[in-house]
Each structure stands twice: as structure tokens, then as C-alpha cells.
Amino acid sequence: QKEVEQNSGPLSVPEGAIASLNCTYSDRGSQSFFWYRQYSGKSPELIMSIYSNGDKEDGRFTAQLNKASQYVSLLIRDSQPSDSATYLCAVKGNEKLTFGTGTRLTIIP
Amino acid sequence: DADVTQTPRNRITKTGKRIMLECSQTKGHDRMYWYRQDPGLGLQLIYYSFDVKDINKGEISDGYSVSRQAQAKFSLSLESAIPNQTALYFCATSSRDTYQPQHFGDGTRLSIL
């Protein structure tokens, strides 16, 4: 079992709809959780951090964390073509940050 | 100016050559990392350093070496480059705080012919 697993994708969502990206992790001791956005050929860019169970909202982005289920998700509301990118889930615990392999999201105009 | 600066941004070289990729940061972070990313794939950790005297191998260290010259500088070397080391290389930094993320440089696109 991979330490951090994401929807394999690719995921296609119509413009204006909600995009839902999911991530599960294996280490119950994980303490902090991050979502990065990566455009093709560019570096990962941090878009959300979450540490406590529940939802955290920032503009059109909402991160959701459920430590009991070892699950973290990212919702993108009112999806825009500029949201088309690969989204990386990263989980931190015991001094180590582990990345998932990413989910490629395409927003269809 | 970027907080995490990688040089060069692009490099094309030949098999067998020695190559050094450099990373410098102005964030004051103790921890620095080198990753490799192949097209369509995830990030693979090559080496990481928690401070100047603490350097550790990552998942794929074979064929690579590193040097932490100062808190702000961490360089990656390919002693004898081979074509399957063609990839996008990223440097990242973080503080010691468990709740802080890693911050990435813009990357170096390396092609080995």
C-alpha cells in the first residue's frame, strides 16, 4: 500500500462545476496535510494547508480532513480553465513529507 | 526575487559529464531537499538535509551526490551523467515546524544526450 494515494485521474470537470480531489494516507500519526497545484513543467505551488479535522475554506478552495478515516480532500468550486493542472496531496508526520503521485484535472470550457 | 533560486534553469549535456545543480534560499529555513520528477510522474526524493552537518539519502540517491555549503545553499551533483537522469529537478526548503509546508524553487530542466 502506498503511503499517500490519490485519485488516479485524469479528472475532467465542466467549467463552473465543483471539482473534487481525494487523497488517503496510511500513517495515523500524520499531523499536517497540504495540497499543491502544479502546472505542466512548473514547480508545485502550495494552495491549501489543513491540520485539524473538518473543513478549511480559502476562496474557491475547501480542504476537508478526516483523521479517523485517514482521508483528505480538496474541493474547487466554480471551476475555471485556469484550474487545469495536476494537484498533489502531501502528508507530513515524523519529520517526513510524503507526496502522492498527483491527480490531473482538466476544466472543460 | 524568488525565495528559493535554482541554477541553471535549463541544461543540456552529454553522457559522462559531471553536472552541478545549485539551490540557494533566502527563507532562513534549516531544511533543504532535492527532488526529481519524470514526465507524468510524481516527485521522488533524492537527498535531504536538516542542517549543514546533517545530510540524508532519499529514495533514489544512486548516481547523485550533494553538498550543503551553508544554511542557504544546497547543491546536487551528477558525477557521470546518464540519459535516464534526464528529468525536471526541484529544490525545496522547509522550517523545522511540523505544520509548515515545503517551498519549491522553479526547477531545473536537465537533458542528457
Side-chain angles (χ1 to χ4, degrees), chain A residues 6 10-12 21 36-40 42-43 45 47 61 76 80-88 102-107:
Chain A
Q6 298 185 237
L11 181 65
S12 294
L21 302 164
Y36 287 82
R37 178 177 62 200
Q38 186 178 25
Y39 293 115
S40 181
K42 303 296 185 183
S43 62
E45 172 193 11
I47 53 171
F61 298 98
I76 307 174
Q80 302 297 308
S82 60
D83 295 326
S84 296
T86 296
Y87 289 80
L88 302 172
T103 299
R104 177 173 289 188
L105 174 65
T106 301
I107 306 302

Side-chain angles (χ1 to χ4, degrees), chain B residues 30 47 64 85 106 109:
Chain B
D30 291 319
Y47 270 95
Y64 301 94
Q85 291 177 311
D106 287 339
R109 185 173 299 279

Side-chain angles (χ1 to χ4, degrees), chain B:
Chain B
D1 288 341
D3 295 323
V4 184
T5 301
Q6 292 185 234
T7 55
R9 293 294 314 281
N10 294 280
R11 177 79 184 271
I12 301 173
T13 191
K14 295 181 179 180
T15 298
K17 294 290 188 182
R18 184 178 188 274
I19 302 159
M20 180 180 287
L21 308 183
E22 298 186 334
C23 179
S24 62
Q25 51 116 347
T26 58
K27 300 186 76 68
H29 288 164
D30 291 319
R31 300 181 175 191
M32 299 185 73
Y33 309 81
W34 276 105
Y35 290 92
R36 164 182 173 156
Q37 189 174 43
D38 296 295
L41 300 181
L43 295 165
Q44 295 177 280
L45 183 62
I46 306 172
Y47 270 95
Y48 61 101
S49 171
F50 281 179
D51 66 39
V52 175
K53 295 183 180 179
D54 183 7
I55 294 177
N56 305 280
K57 293 182 177 180
E59 308 162 60
I60 56 160
S61 58
D62 287 350
Y64 301 94
S65 62
V66 291
S67 174
R68 184 84 183 264
Q69 301 95 325
Q71 187 204 34
K73 296 183 182 294
F74 191 35
S75 59
L76 175 72
S77 293
L78 289 68
E79 297 300 327
S80 179
I82 55 177
N84 74 3
Q85 291 177 311
T86 294
L88 194 51
Y89 289 83
F90 292 108
C91 174
T93 74
S94 71
S95 70
R96 298 181 185 185
D97 187 335
T98 298
Y99 298 100
Q100 294 302 307
Q102 289 181 11
H103 301 267
F104 285 81
D106 287 339
T108 295
R109 185 173 299 279
L110 178 62
S111 297
I112 300 164
L113 306 178

Side-chain angles (χ1 to χ4, degrees), chain A residues 53-97:
Chain A
N53 281 330
D55 295 358
K56 178 181 178 183
E57 186 174 319
D58 183 0
R60 295 186 296 110
F61 298 98
T62 299
Q64 300 175 316
L65 175 61
N66 183 325
K67 290 187 177 180
S69 300
Q70 295 175 245
Y71 177 90
V72 58
S73 66
L74 179 71
L75 301 178
I76 307 174
R77 290 184 301 281
D78 188 23
S79 296
Q80 302 297 308
S82 60
D83 295 326
S84 296
T86 296
Y87 289 80
L88 302 172
C89 171
V91 175
K92 194 170 185 181
N94 295 324
E95 308 275 3
K96 182 180 174 186
L97 182 66

